[in-house]
Amino acid sequence: MKRALISVSDKSNLIEFSKFLISKGYEIISTGGTYKFLLTHNIKVIEIDEITHFPEILDGRVKTLHPNIHGGILALRDNPKHLETLNTHKIYPIDMVVVNLYPFFNKLNTGLSEPEMIEFIDIGGPSMLRSAAKNFNSVTVVSQIEDYELIIQEITNNGNTTLSTRKQLAGKVFNLTSAYDAAISSYLLQSDYPHYLNVSYEKVNDLRYGENPHQKAAFYVDKTKNGAMKNLDQLQGKDLSFNNFRDMDMAYKVVNEFSEIACCAVKHSTPCGVAIGNTVAEAYQKTFDCDPVSIFGGIVAFNQEVDQKTAELLVPTFLEIVIAPNFTSEALQIFSKKKNLRIIKVQNPLADTIEFVKVDGGLLIQDTDRSFSSDFQQVTHSFPTKEEMEDLIFAQKIVKHAKSNAIVVASGKQALGIGSGQTNRIWAAQQAIQRAKEKKTKNLVLASDAFFPFRDVVDTCAENGIKAIIQPGGSIRDNESIEACNEYNIPMVFSGIRHFKH
């Protein structure tokens, strides 16, 4: 008679699966809570200490770590010496191991104390899974509930699982335990830069394709922490794409630079409009006016609840996504008329502390750019007005999210021109100024993500009526730019912090 060892924290679908195994001639061995659960549902089951001849000890910390268990799992069925050893020690082979782990993943970020979290570190479960996975030639290992149905089908059709299936199930085990161990390691080390990189991500779903139709893609969530793009509540619309996720992430990060009511429109991973308003509707209208052409087919983010008036302004324009922390019922009713428009409610605050960049054969890791200057240096004879300084700070918060070389021209807390992704700074400045002057010619200020290598940006600003400038400083030719500003009586402020975004 075959034996299956079952020890699970998640007991979903377990009764049906256990009854099936018994109907196919399996004896079931079980532990602790699983044993009691099966008994209460009238499932015939052997308690683990009948196999180990040793009671569970240390409040259940030790129950399956025993030769009678691991010997029964690991013995090679085609090795006479192994079989002889089993016979000598009266160890019975175990043909199937069904284990899902203590819910360490689920308990992270729930406010539990360290001693409480430690008790959710599973030891016996991973040990049994790894033993069974190593011996996949003979043992079926089940670490995911969704695989119950596959096993039922194969045993029904073939009398046993196939070798190829057992190998796949074994691979799933090591995939799971590596992520599980990575989450535990991250929790204990509390370091973004350990000697070995700990990553613990779970696939949520496959995406239709990546940046282009010929590229495969999938969306994974971090198992160690929450974040804005995790546990999104999609209220309506088509499935999200690879590009949707990237653009949403950027747009939501931009609006969260501000404590004021803010709106950001993103197209192709670049902000095309950002504004602050006294109301959500005003913030959106100002954002739309920044670039009414590029916003078509774009993504719009808010840092406040979207109301009916804002929804009425949004629906006439073709948009891919509207993302916000909340929506009024009246707004949702208006959006419901546009079935393909994706409405995304964010459940979690921003949480990323590091970001990854894949290179061929390696991975670059850096801190996320959460910094912003609190020490502005007035470097020219003339100083910006209070309103100009507010616009400079506003523009500087946007420029850090635009691709370098990046320039933002703003006025009235509205980004009127964004020049980004240029190979030199003067082109970015010319692009931003030109776009801004299509809408407004007075009271314009300019922000740069990095220092001016030459005075040419200042000269261009003077030719086009820019009233104030903010930049990090740090060039060997800073004095040339400062002297140029003094010649033109343009106030310039150094922020001291560069914001390259390559």
Side-chain angles (χ1 to χ4, degrees):
M1 180 175 284
K2 292 185 176 181
R3 281 186 166 179
L5 193 160
I6 301 178
S7 180
V8 295
S9 59
D10 185 345
K11 298 170 179 61
S12 303
N13 304 330
L14 184 60
I15 298 304
E16 295 81 359
F17 187 58
S18 299
K19 287 180 177 178
F20 170 80
L21 293 177
I22 289 172
S23 73
K24 295 300 178 181
Y26 281 80
E27 285 186 327
I28 294 179
I29 307 165
S30 195
T31 64
T34 306
Y35 170 77
K36 293 174 184 176
F37 177 80
L38 292 173
L39 274 186
T40 59
H41 288 83
N42 300 314
I43 304 293
K44 186 177 180 181
V45 58
I46 302 170
E47 193 167 11
I48 196 75
D49 59 12
E50 294 183 42
I51 306 299
T52 61
H53 308 296
F54 199 92
E56 293 185 16
I57 60 171
L58 307 180
D59 299 318
R61 282 190 167 202
V62 178
K63 50 195 172 190
T64 59
L65 298 171
H66 194 280
N68 286 0
I69 299 299
H70 288 273
I73 297 171
L74 280 165
L76 296 174
R77 304 324 196 242
D78 58 356
N79 185 317
K81 288 186 177 179
H82 283 201
L83 297 180
E84 182 181 344
T85 298
L86 293 187
N87 186 55
T88 299
H89 295 283
K90 295 184 173 57
I91 298 174
Y92 295 91
I94 295 173
D95 306 284
M96 183 181 294
V97 172
V98 183
V99 171
N100 52 60
L101 305 177
Y102 291 171
F104 186 86
F105 287 136
N106 298 339
K107 298 300 179 180
L108 284 168
N109 307 306
T110 60
L112 292 181
S113 66
E114 183 175 295
E116 289 172 318
M117 283 301 302
I118 295 301
E119 292 310 311
F120 285 101
I121 298 176
D122 201 332
I123 301 301
S127 299
M128 288 187 291
L129 286 176
R130 291 170 64 87
S131 292
K134 179 174 180 177
N135 203 20
F136 68 84
N137 274 302
S138 301
V139 179
T140 302
V141 60
V142 190
S143 59
Q144 296 179 334
I145 294 167
E146 52 264 36
D147 288 323
Y148 290 175
E149 187 58 37
L150 171 64
I151 292 164
I152 289 172
Q153 290 176 4
E154 291 207 351
I155 293 176
T156 300
N157 295 333
N158 308 315
N160 195 7
T161 53
T162 63
L163 178 59
S164 61
T165 293
R166 293 196 296 275
K167 185 176 180 179
Q168 286 296 308
L169 294 174
K172 284 187 174 185
V173 163
F174 291 109
N175 186 242
L176 168 63
T177 57
S178 64
Y180 193 80
D181 287 345
I184 296 168
S185 173
S186 295
Y187 175 78
L188 295 175
L189 287 174
Q190 295 293 306
S191 170
D192 288 333
Y193 301 94
H195 183 71
Y196 296 101
L197 179 63
N198 298 311
V199 290
S200 186
Y201 286 80
E202 180 180 19
K203 186 164 74 172
V204 175
N205 55 274
D206 292 310
L207 303 175
R208 287 185 299 159
Y209 51 82
E211 285 183 285
N212 299 290
H214 60 276
Q215 294 173 270
K216 292 182 179 179
F219 177 55
Y220 289 76
V221 294
D222 191 337
K223 297 297 289 182
T224 64
K225 64 179 69 171
N226 293 324
M229 295 300 109
K230 184 177 178 180
N231 301 325
L232 292 171
D233 188 1
Q234 183 167 352
L235 304 178
Q236 72 168 53
K238 300 184 294 184
D239 290 341
L240 293 166
S241 71
F242 180 93
N243 292 330
N244 289 159
F245 274 107
R246 292 191 66 186
D247 289 350
M248 281 195 308
D249 184 59
M250 167 171 280
Y252 202 67
K253 284 175 178 173
V254 172
V255 295
N256 275 277
E257 291 284 348
F258 303 98
S259 58
E260 308 95 326
I261 297 171
C263 176
C264 173
V266 165
K267 187 72 171 291
H268 296 305
S269 291
T270 301
C272 61
V274 186
I276 287 172
N278 293 318
T279 66
V280 179
E282 181 188 3
Y284 169 69
Q285 187 61 61
K286 290 171 70 176
T287 298
F288 177 87
D289 292 341
C290 293
D291 191 344
V293 175
S294 297
I295 199 173
F296 182 86
I299 287 172
V300 176
F302 298 90
N303 63 357
Q304 301 288 330
E305 181 180 64
V306 174
D307 57 16
Q308 178 178 347
K309 184 176 180 180
T310 309
E312 290 170 347
L313 293 173
L314 285 159
V315 292
T317 301
F318 168 63
L319 299 170
E320 290 282 351
I321 295 172
V322 179
I323 179 170
N326 211 349
F327 299 85
T328 66
S329 57
E330 294 84 1
L332 293 176
Q333 181 63 35
I334 292 168
F335 289 138
S336 67
K337 299 171 185 176
K338 300 192 75 171
K339 301 297 183 185
N340 289 332
L341 175 62
R342 303 168 179 90
I343 303 298
I344 307 295
K345 179 180 176 180
V346 179
Q347 309 275 42
N348 301 318
L350 297 175
D352 278 347
T353 56
I354 57 172
E355 55 192 28
F356 303 151
V357 177
K358 184 72 177 73
V359 295
D360 200 8
L363 192 67
L364 300 170
I365 303 177
Q366 66 173 355
D367 294 346
T368 55
D369 188 0
R370 292 285 188 88
S371 299
F372 193 75
S373 181
S374 59
D375 184 19
F376 299 106
Q377 183 183 1
Q378 310 279 354
V379 296
T380 52
H381 298 326
S382 58
F383 288 6
T385 66
K386 177 177 180 293
E387 291 76 15
E388 288 169 347
M389 193 65 205
E390 289 175 352
D391 277 341
L392 288 172
I393 293 172
F394 166 80
Q396 191 76 357
K397 288 181 177 181
I398 298 166
V399 81
K400 67 184 284 192
H401 294 279
K403 295 288 187 181
S404 189
N405 288 312
I407 299 287
V408 171
V409 176
S411 180
K413 296 182 180 176
Q414 180 183 27
L416 297 171
I418 301 174
S420 65
Q422 299 299 319
T423 51
N424 65 65
R425 193 152 301 279
I426 188 63
W427 287 354
Q430 290 168 342
Q431 183 185 68
I433 291 170
Q434 177 186 347
R435 290 179 175 177
K437 290 182 69 178
E438 292 170 358
K439 310 169 191 77
K440 190 174 182 179
T441 57
K442 295 182 179 180
N443 302 319
L444 302 175
V445 305
L446 180 145
S448 174
D449 67 336
F451 62 64
F452 297 161
F454 308 101
R455 63 172 281 166
D456 54 359
V457 173
V458 177
D459 293 331
T460 300
C461 287
E463 293 167 6
N464 289 277
I466 299 298
K467 296 298 184 182
I469 296 170
I470 189 168
Q471 57 131 320
S475 169
I476 60 173
R477 296 186 178 89
D478 274 347
N479 284 338
E480 294 180 16
S481 295
I482 294 170
E483 289 171 6
C485 282
N486 287 331
E487 289 175 23
Y488 297 122
N489 199 34
I490 298 174
M492 184 161 66
V493 177
F494 281 2
S495 67
I497 297 179
R498 189 183 75 185
H499 292 292
F500 273 162
K501 187 177 180 64
H502 284 119

